[in-house]
Amino acid sequence: FNLQECIYDIVEEMKGLQKKEQQVIINFNGHPVINSDKKMLRNVIINLLSNAVKFSKEDGIITITAKTNSDNISIAVKDAGIGIGKEDQVHLFSSFFRAANAFNIQGTGLGLHIVKRYIDMLCGTVELDSELNKGTTVTISIPQIWFRMKTILVVEDSNDIRENTVEILDLGGYKTLAAENGKRGVELA
């Protein structure tokens, strides 16, 4: 699915939750089409953006930075909000946990717990960097799920067609082998 489009759609859908003059900036680096679970990643991004909006001031800037390559997907959501004290950070991924400075802000304490569970299911990691009154950055990293795909063998005697086909498949993240004829194709298979 197209991660870049997905992020822009989520930001657009959540504009109604933003406080007065809050801005969400999106930085995207890499190929927008990824191989992962769209529903899980969408829920993760919604949770992270929702927290950033909730815990940031009215004119705060929230930055979503996504990077993709053939092996990994990384998404960081950064705010300049209330931050999280060091003593609370170790408990943040527990269900129903609320940081000491967040009790006056609406929420259930399940958001980061759900994020952690989804990212664990996607064989990834969640990192948190936060300082009181300075803000929080939550970064998730997951592998592209190529291991669920088979290798594609392209057998074509035309160099141009073979190279173009391999290039298109490579851009889509597929592992490819190329052969210029059937005999070579059988050897590679």
Side-chain angles (χ1 to χ4, degrees):
F1 74 96
N2 188 316
L3 178 62
Q4 187 174 23
E5 249 177 44
C6 181
I7 292 170
Y8 276 96
D9 289 347
I10 290 167
V11 169
E12 187 62 34
E13 290 167 20
M14 294 185 68
K15 276 196 174 172
L17 299 177
Q18 285 178 244
K19 295 175 186 165
K20 185 179 178 183
E21 295 186 37
Q22 272 185 340
Q23 293 179 32
V24 178
I25 297 168
I26 301 169
N27 298 313
F28 197 96
N29 188 352
H31 196 277
V33 177
I34 62 165
N35 288 291
S36 192
D37 189 295
K38 182 178 182 177
K39 193 179 236 180
M40 279 195 223
L41 263 185
R42 183 175 164 73
N43 286 331
V44 164
I45 296 165
I46 288 170
N47 266 302
L48 295 178
L49 182 56
S50 175
N51 280 352
V53 166
K54 238 188 300 190
F55 297 110
S56 291
K57 55 188 174 192
E58 283 193 351
D59 60 350
I61 294 175
I62 298 161
T63 307
I64 301 173
T65 303
K67 298 175 185 172
T68 67
N69 61 41
S70 61
D71 298 321
N72 296 298
I73 302 158
S74 170
I75 303 168
V77 178
K78 178 182 180 180
D79 66 55
I82 64 173
I84 304 157
K86 294 283 183 213
E87 65 282 354
D88 287 335
Q89 290 181 22
V90 293
H91 305 290
L92 272 182
F93 299 106
S94 304
S95 30
F96 304 110
F97 181 79
R98 305 269 307 177
N101 62 337
F103 277 102
N104 62 339
I105 299 170
Q106 185 179 1
T108 61
L110 286 172
L112 287 177
H113 174 72
I114 291 168
V115 165
K116 177 81 169 104
R117 294 286 305 256
Y118 280 165
I119 297 305
D120 285 348
M121 286 191 271
L122 294 170
C123 302
T125 60
V126 181
E127 293 178 18
L128 180 107
D129 182 27
S130 187
E131 193 174 332
L132 275 175
N133 303 313
K134 297 217 174 168
T136 301
T137 302
V138 179
T139 305
I140 60 116
S141 297
I142 58 171
Q144 296 255 25
I145 54 173
W146 307 123
F147 58 88
R148 293 185 184 171
M149 295 182 169
K150 304 276 186 217
T151 299
I152 297 175
L153 174 60
V154 177
V155 181
E156 173 57 55
D157 56 355
S158 165
N159 283 338
D160 289 340
I161 294 173
R162 184 176 61 251
E163 288 171 10
N164 286 336
T165 303
V166 167
E167 184 177 340
I168 290 168
L169 291 168
D170 285 346
L171 284 173
Y174 292 93
K175 181 174 170 36
T176 56
L177 298 174
E180 64 279 356
N181 58 47
K183 183 179 177 187
R184 179 70 180 132
V186 170
E187 291 170 1
L188 289 174

